[in-house]
Amino acid sequence: MTDAFTTWLLLAGPLWAVFGLWALPRFAGSRKVKDETGLARLQVAGVVGGFALGPVGLGIFYLQPRWITRASLTVGLLLAVFISSQVLVRIEDPNLPSALWLILAGPLWSVIAAYFIPRRYREAEADDQNALTAAALGGFAIGPLIFGLLWQHTPKISRDWIIVLGSLGAWQIYTLFALHNADNLCVAAPYHITYLAQQTANGVVIGCIYSLMAVGLTLIYSVQGIVSFAHGQLYMVGGYFSFYFLLHGSNLLSELTGTEISINPLWGIPVAGIIVFLMGALFERAFLKPMHEGLIERVSEYAILITFGFGFVIEYTTLAIAGPFPQRTDRFIEIRRFTFPRTQITDQFTFGPINIIGDRAFAMVIGILLIFALLYFLQRSWTGRALRATSQDRQAAAVTGINPTNMNTLSFGLGSMLAAMSGAALIPIFAWVPWVGAEMVGRSYVIVVLGGLGSVPGALVGGIIVGIVEALGAGCHPDPSRGAAYKEAFALVIFALVLLLKPTGLFGREQT
Amino acid sequence: MKHSKALFVSIALVALLALAPMGLVSADGHCEFDDYTIKLGGLAPMSAPGAVAGGVAMDWAFKQAAADINADCGVQIDGVNYMLEVITGDSEGSPERGQAVAERLILEDEVDGMVGVYHSAVGLATMGIMEENGIPTIFSEPWNDNVSANGIREFDGAPPRFDDGIDHIFRISPASSMVGSVVTDWLIALGVEDVVLIVENTDYGQPAAADEQARLEAAGVAVSQIDVELGTEDFVPILSRIQASAEPPDAIRIVVTGETSFNLTQQMAELGIAPTPDTICVTNQIAFQHVQYWATVPDGNYCAFNRVGIIPSLFNDTAIELNAAYEMEFGDIVPSFGMASYDAVFMMVDAMERAGSYSDAAAIVEAIEASDILLSQGRYYFTYGAHNESMPADDSMPDFMWHQWPDPIVTVMQYFEQGQSSLDAAVVYPEVYQTHGTAYVVPGTSP
C-alpha cells in the first residue's frame, strides 16, 4: 500500500464518508430543516464531504449547513472524484484498489441493494419508481453506504440521484480501467481528453444518424403496436431511390442543358422520403389494415411475418434491379482542408482537436432537423396530436373524431419515410448494397427499446448513447485488435443493463 | 417439258438455298446430344451475408463456361456429346448453409462434380461432404491454406478419413500464404518499419493475417492487428485510434473483403490516415474492380492492392474474350474469381473427357491431377497429388501445395490517377511484372 493511498484513507475517502453519513444528519440535523428532503441532503453532504475532504469537509458542512446546496454538493463530488483519482493513479499495484472496490462496492453490493432497497420502499409505501435504478447504481458506486442513504427514510429518488450515482459508478470504472491500462489512449495523459472528446464526437455524430432510423421504428410501434421487420429494407431502398433519382436526374438535366450537372444528394432525401412514404402507406392499407379490422386471428404473428415478407420482397427486388455491386452518391458538401503532407485528402470539419468527416456532420444535422421536425409535427399539428392520441388510446381517440385507420396508415407511411430519408442521408457516406439495412436495423431495435418503445425523444437519446458507447468501446478497448470486433457488443451490454434497471427503457411509459 | 424441268430445277435450287441456312444451323448444332445432361454443382454466395457481388460474378462465369462448352458440342466422352449444366447453390457465405446446399446438390441434383466456393469457411466446411460422397471438386476462390493442405494430411495420415483413399479436392485459387508473401515481400522491400493489419474475423482473414504478421515480424517489422467484423459500416472509432498514435504507421494493410473493405478504405482516406506520403494504403484485391472501387472509394487514389490472377497486360485470347463478355454484362473488368470459376468448369470437363467418364470419380481425379490445359488464367497443372506423392516432408514445400495449382500470379498494383481503370494501374511488384518502373508511386506524384 503506498503512502498516498494510506494518507488518503486516513484523511478522507470511504471511511470518512461512512462517518459523515452517520454523523452529519445527527449533529447538524438539529440546526437544519428536519423534513425528509433536508435529511436526505444532509446524508448526501455527509458522504460527499467526508469522501472528498474528510473531517474538513464535514466540519465545513457542520458549521455552515446553509452551504449544503446542490451546487456545493456537485463541487464536492467533483473534488472527491479528482482527489481520489489522483491518489489511485499513484498506486503501483492496481490489484489493490480493484480488490477493495470489489469488496466495498461494485457488482456484489449492486445486486444486494437492488434486491433489498426496492422492497423497503414498497414496505414503507414510498414512491419506488426509481428505487431499483438508484439502489443498483448506488450499491455499485458506494457499496453499503447506499443503505444508509435510502433505507431508513426512503427519500423520494429524483433523476438527480440516478445521474450522480451513475456518474460516480462510471468514474470508478474509468479509474479502475486506468489503473490496469495506463498506456491506453483513453487514459494516458496528456492527450486522453482530446482523444475521448474525439471518440465522443464520433459517437454523437453516428448516434444521431442511428436515431433517425430508429425514430421511424418507434413511431410505427407507438401507434400500431407492431414492430416493422421491413424497416431495414425501407432504409436501404430509400438510399437506392435517392441514388437513381440523382443519377437519372443529373443525366436528364445534363442532356437538357448541354452541360455537366450533378444534383446534390440533399435533393434525394425528400424524393426518397415521398416515394417510400407512399410505399409504406400502400402496404399498410393492403396488408396491415385487415389486421386492425379484426380480420386476422393471430395478430402478433401476422404482423411479424407480413412485415418480414415485405422486407424480403423489397430486398430481393432491389437485388434483381440494382445488382449486388456497391453504389454511392456524390458528397453533400466538398470541404478541402489542405494539411499536406500529413494528410493528403481530408473532407472534415475541424473543431479544435476534434475532426468530423464533412458528410457525416451534414447527415447528423439532417438527422437532428428531421427528428425535431417530427417532434414539432407531433406536438403542434392537429394530425400529429391525433397520432399521439391514437398511440395513447385508440378508442378514446376514435370518440373524439380521429380516424384510427388513417392514423395507422399515416404512422406506417411516416415511419417508412423516416427510414428511407435516413438511407438517403447515408448513401453518400457508406457503400450501398441491397443488404445494407441488416446491420442498421438490428441496432435500431436496440435503440428504440433502450430509449423506450414509442418514445421519439427516447429514440434520439438512445441513438446517441449507442453511438457513444460503440465509439468509446471500440476506441478504448484494452486490446486494440478486438475493440472494433466487439463494437456492437458494448451497446448490447448497456442495453441489457438499462433494461434490467429500467424495463420500460429510458423514456418509455408503463403499459396500461 | 423443258419448262417443267427448268421449273423443277429452279424450285430445287430455291429449296436448297432456303434450306442452306438451316443446314448451317444444323452444322453449328451438328452435335447430337445424349439424353443425359452432365451436372456440375457451383457453390457461390448469392445472398448476404456472403460476398454477393463475388457470388454473382462466379455464377455468371459458371453459366458462361457451360454455354461456351455446349456451343462446342458439350462434354465429349467416348464419341458421345453430353449437355453440360452448372447448378449454382447459394452458400450465403455461411458454413452451415454451404453444407446444406452441397448436400442438396450432391444427393438431390446428383451432380457429377463441384466447382466454385468463394468463402474459405464454406470451403473448409463442405470439403468433407464432397470427400464422403466421392465428388471431384475444383475450388476456384477460397484461400485458406488448409483447403488444399488438408488433402495431404488426410491422404497420408492414419487413419485416412476417406474410404476410397482418394482426395477429391483441388484448388486453382492461391493459398493465403501465397498472396500474403507477395504483399509482405513488397512491404519489406519498401523498407517499412511498422504495419497495421486490419483483418476480418473469418476463416480467411485470421489465418491470412497470422501468416503476414509472421513474415513481417521475421523481417523485423513491428505489426499491430485490428480485427473487424464483415458487414461493419462505421470504422471511424477504430481509425481514430490509429490517428491518435504518436507516429503514423508506415503502412496499413486491409485484409478485409467485399464492400466492407470499400467502406474501410474510404473512411481511412477521408480521415487522412492513408494513403499519405507517410502511410502506404494496401487494400483488398476487389479494388481491381475499378468501377465499383471508384464509385465507393472516391478518395482512394494511390491505394495499392493485391491482384490475384493474370495481369491485364498478359491477358491471353481466352481472357480477353471472357473479359469482353463480362464487361458487356456488368460494365466492369472480370474479377479473378470469375476467371477462376470459368476455368474450373473447363478443367472439370477436360478431366471428364480425358477420363472417359463423367461418373468415375477416381478416374476424374486422376485426370485432374494430370491436367495440362491453357485457360483464361494461364496453364493449369498440379505438381503434387496421387500422381506425384513425393512432396518434401520438410518445410521447403508447404502442405498447401498438395492439389494446388502452383502458378497463380499474385501482384501488387497501385492506382495513381483518380478514376483510373485497373487496366492502366501500375503493377509495382514483383519487379518482373512491373509496368511503370517503380515499386511504389508516392502519393502526389506520377510514375
Side-chain angles (χ1 to χ4, degrees):
Chain A
M1 192 178 294
T2 63
D3 291 342
F5 190 59
T6 314
T7 313
W8 178 67
L9 276 182
L10 289 173
L11 297 180
L15 299 175
W16 282 100
V18 174
F19 178 72
L21 174 66
W22 172 79
L24 201 62
R26 175 157 301 201
F27 297 113
S30 57
R31 304 170 59 190
K32 179 82 175 147
V33 282
K34 282 197 169 180
D35 60 62
E36 196 175 274
T37 313
L39 202 61
R41 186 166 282 188
L42 280 170
Q43 289 175 322
V44 174
V47 171
V48 170
F51 198 88
L53 297 172
V56 177
L58 295 176
I60 291 170
F61 284 144
Y62 174 74
L63 295 171
Q64 295 293 339
R66 68 175 183 275
W67 287 3
I68 303 174
T69 61
R70 183 178 289 187
S72 70
L73 290 177
T74 307
V75 170
L77 191 66
L78 292 174
L79 199 61
V81 167
F82 176 74
I83 293 171
S84 49
S85 61
Q86 290 303 307
V87 171
L88 290 173
V89 294
R90 283 168 174 73
I91 295 173
E92 288 169 7
D93 179 9
N95 292 324
L96 176 66
S98 303
L100 278 176
W101 179 75
L102 283 172
I103 294 166
L104 298 174
L108 181 66
W109 282 104
S110 177
V111 171
I112 293 170
Y115 181 77
F116 286 106
I117 289 176
R119 286 165 177 248
R120 170 69 183 152
Y121 268 71
R122 284 192 289 274
E123 283 168 9
E125 295 183 351
D127 179 7
D128 68 339
Q129 195 185 358
N130 292 323
L132 175 67
T133 314
L137 290 176
F140 189 83
I142 58 175
L145 292 180
I146 194 66
F147 282 92
L149 289 174
L150 301 181
W151 189 266
Q152 193 174 354
H153 302 286
T154 57
K156 181 173 170 55
I157 299 171
S158 66
R159 195 162 283 182
D160 292 353
W161 278 78
I162 293 168
I163 291 169
V164 169
L165 292 169
S167 306
L168 199 57
W171 164 79
Q172 290 174 357
I173 294 287
Y174 179 76
T175 305
L176 291 172
F177 177 80
L179 285 170
H180 287 272
N181 299 276
D183 297 332
N184 192 290
L185 286 167
C186 292
V187 298
Y191 300 114
H192 61 301
I193 300 296
T194 308
Y195 181 70
L196 284 172
Q198 175 67 59
Q199 290 291 18
T200 306
N202 292 339
V204 170
V205 170
I206 200 76
C208 288
I209 298 167
Y210 292 161
S211 299
L212 181 59
M213 188 180 174
V215 160
L217 201 60
T218 208
L219 184 68
I220 293 169
Y221 179 83
S222 69
V223 175
Q224 302 214 30
I226 63 165
V227 176
S228 170
F229 283 86
H231 212 64
Q233 286 78 12
L234 290 165
Y235 156 84
M236 172 273 293
V237 84
Y240 273 109
F241 279 130
S242 173
F243 174 78
Y244 284 111
F245 165 73
L246 298 172
L247 180 71
H248 295 302
S250 298
N251 288 343
L252 186 66
L253 283 176
S254 300
E255 276 178 27
L256 289 174
T257 59
T259 54
E260 188 76 22
I261 290 179
S262 180
I263 301 174
N264 191 290
L266 196 59
W267 294 104
I269 296 174
V271 171
I274 291 166
I275 296 171
V276 176
F277 174 87
L278 293 173
M279 270 176 69
L282 284 172
F283 171 77
E284 200 284 333
R285 280 280 152 156
F287 295 102
L288 296 180
K289 190 179 164 199
M291 184 180 80
H292 294 295
E293 288 175 340
L295 300 174
I296 308 294
E297 199 171 321
R298 300 175 73 90
V299 172
S300 302
E301 292 87 339
Y302 175 79
I304 291 169
L305 290 175
I306 198 72
T307 54
F308 186 80
F310 184 41
F312 197 76
V313 168
I314 293 173
E315 181 171 327
Y316 282 89
T317 306
T318 309
L319 182 60
I321 294 170
F325 305 112
Q327 305 288 0
R328 188 183 178 124
T329 63
D330 289 341
R331 291 192 165 87
F332 286 118
I333 187 167
E334 294 282 346
I335 312 158
R336 295 279 167 180
R337 183 165 67 86
F338 293 101
T339 54
F340 198 85
R342 171 68 183 88
T343 51
Q344 181 207 1
I345 304 163
T346 55
D347 295 278
Q348 305 176 36
F349 285 113
T350 303
F351 305 96
I354 298 171
N355 297 317
I356 298 173
I357 296 172
D359 279 329
R360 287 177 181 240
F362 210 78
M364 176 186 75
V365 172
I366 291 167
I368 291 172
L369 287 177
L370 285 172
I371 289 170
F372 278 101
L374 177 71
L375 281 170
Y376 184 84
F377 166 75
L378 291 175
Q379 300 289 338
R380 298 299 174 92
S381 71
W382 186 91
T383 314
R385 287 177 184 146
L387 271 173
R388 285 168 51 216
T390 310
S391 76
Q392 286 165 14
D393 191 326
R394 299 174 66 82
Q395 288 179 336
V399 169
T400 61
I402 297 167
N403 184 343
T405 306
N406 288 345
M407 292 301 115
N408 288 339
T409 307
L410 181 63
S411 70
F412 202 90
L414 276 177
S416 305
M417 183 182 86
L418 288 165
M421 292 172 104
S422 173
L426 289 187
I427 193 171
I429 297 171
F430 297 130
W432 216 252
V433 282
W435 51 93
V436 74
E439 191 204 356
M440 212 54 144
V441 76
R443 193 178 280 112
S444 291
Y445 296 136
V446 171
I447 290 169
V448 295
V449 178
L450 181 68
L453 275 166
S455 166
V456 174
L460 178 61
V461 174
I464 292 172
I465 289 174
V466 167
I468 292 174
V469 168
E470 284 189 356
L472 288 176
C476 301
H477 193 278
D479 181 356
S481 73
R482 297 285 167 194
Y486 294 158
K487 203 172 74 150
E488 287 170 35
F490 301 127
L492 287 172
V493 169
I494 298 295
F495 170 74
L497 285 176
V498 167
L499 284 192
L500 273 174
L501 299 176
K502 201 163 187 307
T504 55
L506 294 174
F507 292 80
R509 56 173 189 251
E510 299 278 354
Q511 290 280 0
T512 53
Chain B
M1 193 63 186
K2 268 186 178 179
H3 276 96
S4 55
K5 192 175 179 181
L7 186 66
F8 177 76
V9 170
S10 303
I11 289 170
L13 279 171
V14 168
L16 198 64
L17 284 170
L19 288 172
M22 291 172 70
L24 285 174
V25 169
S26 176
D28 189 36
H30 59 276
C31 339
E32 291 281 329
F33 285 104
D34 190 85
D35 289 342
Y36 183 80
T37 297
I38 293 176
K39 293 177 195 160
L40 297 182
L43 274 175
M46 300 300 291
S47 51
V52 183
V56 168
M58 290 172 78
D59 177 53
W60 175 86
F62 297 148
K63 302 288 190 291
Q64 184 68 33
D68 289 352
I69 288 165
N70 288 333
D72 197 21
C73 291
V75 187
Q76 294 154 39
I77 298 173
D78 292 338
V80 182
N81 300 321
Y82 297 94
M83 287 286 281
L84 176 71
E85 182 186 4
V86 183
I87 305 168
T88 304
D90 179 9
S91 72
E92 297 176 14
S94 143
E96 300 80 15
R97 177 71 186 151
Q99 285 180 326
V101 171
E103 280 182 346
R104 196 206 72 209
L105 287 169
I106 293 167
L107 301 176
E108 287 185 26
D109 296 314
E110 298 180 334
V111 297
D112 302 297
M114 292 282 275
V115 290
V117 176
Y118 185 96
H119 296 281
S120 291
V122 176
L124 291 168
T126 54
M127 286 167 65
I129 293 170
M130 272 77 103
E131 296 286 13
E132 281 167 20
N133 290 280
I135 301 295
T137 301
I138 301 175
F139 283 147
S140 53
E141 182 56 11
W143 287 8
N144 187 301
D145 288 0
N146 288 337
V147 165
S148 52
N150 275 355
I152 181 72
R153 291 172 192 156
E154 298 290 344
F155 186 78
D156 253 355
R161 182 174 60 179
F162 320 125
D163 292 339
D164 55 5
I166 299 171
D167 176 21
H168 298 81
I169 310 296
F170 294 80
R171 170 166 54 186
I172 57 171
S173 59
S176 289
S177 298
M178 299 165 89
V179 179
S181 64
V182 174
V183 175
T184 52
D185 289 351
W186 174 63
L187 289 172
I188 292 163
L190 290 177
V192 300
E193 292 176 355
D194 58 332
V195 175
V196 174
L197 296 175
I198 305 181
V199 183
E200 67 176 46
N201 228 344
T202 63
D203 279 341
Y204 151 67
Q206 294 301 320
D211 179 69
E212 291 191 22
Q213 182 165 2
R215 289 173 192 278
L216 288 166
E217 286 179 344
V221 179
V223 179
S224 53
Q225 182 173 329
I226 295 171
D227 294 343
V228 297
E229 292 298 320
L230 271 186
T232 302
E233 289 179 339
D234 179 28
F235 294 98
V236 169
I238 205 68
L239 292 172
S240 293
R241 200 164 185 152
I242 298 173
Q243 208 169 19
S245 54
E247 287 291 323
D250 290 341
I252 299 178
R253 160 81 167 129
I254 296 175
V255 191
V256 178
T257 54
E259 70 275 0
T260 309
S261 76
F262 288 146
N263 276 326
L264 178 53
T265 311
Q266 172 61 15
Q267 288 168 31
M268 200 165 74
E270 278 178 326
L271 287 169
I273 295 172
T276 69
D278 295 329
T279 306
I280 299 166
C281 158
V282 194
T283 191
N284 179 252
Q285 62 152 343
I286 201 169
F288 187 70
Q289 310 304 114
H290 61 262
V291 175
Q292 291 177 51
Y293 181 75
W294 291 115
T296 51
V297 194
D299 294 334
N301 194 16
Y302 293 110
C303 262
F305 54 94
N306 53 295
R307 157 70 179 159
V308 174
I310 198 160
I311 59 172
S313 60
L314 296 180
F315 273 11
N316 59 25
D317 290 345
T318 311
I320 290 168
E321 281 175 24
L322 187 66
N323 186 47
Y326 187 87
E327 268 194 303
M328 192 175 289
E329 184 75 20
F330 297 111
D332 208 338
I333 196 163
V334 64
S336 63
F337 37 87
M339 295 173 97
S341 298
Y342 180 87
D343 290 351
V345 176
F346 267 90
M347 285 184 74
M348 186 67 77
V349 166
D350 171 64
M352 286 175 171
E353 289 179 343
R354 283 186 290 107
S357 168
Y358 55 78
S359 58
D360 184 348
I364 295 169
V365 167
E366 195 177 335
I368 297 175
E369 285 177 330
S371 289
D372 187 354
I373 182 170
L374 185 68
L375 293 166
S376 74
Q377 293 214 97
R379 180 180 157 249
Y380 287 100
Y381 65 100
F382 296 95
T383 309
Y384 298 106
H387 64 304
N388 177 19
E389 296 178 29
S390 57
M391 263 182 84
D394 57 19
D395 291 341
S396 63
M397 187 58 65
D399 284 354
F400 62 74
M401 290 306 290
W402 180 265
H403 277 194
Q404 165 72 47
W405 178 41
D407 288 343
I409 297 177
V410 183
T411 52
V412 180
M413 297 180 74
Q414 188 183 10
Y415 290 115
F416 57 88
E417 280 175 19
Q418 185 92 7
Q420 189 173 39
S421 163
S422 51
L423 296 173
D424 302 325
V427 179
V428 291
Y429 194 84
E431 198 175 346
V432 67
Y433 294 120
Q434 270 179 9
T435 54
H436 289 69
T438 180
Y440 180 56
V441 185
V442 177
T445 65
S446 290

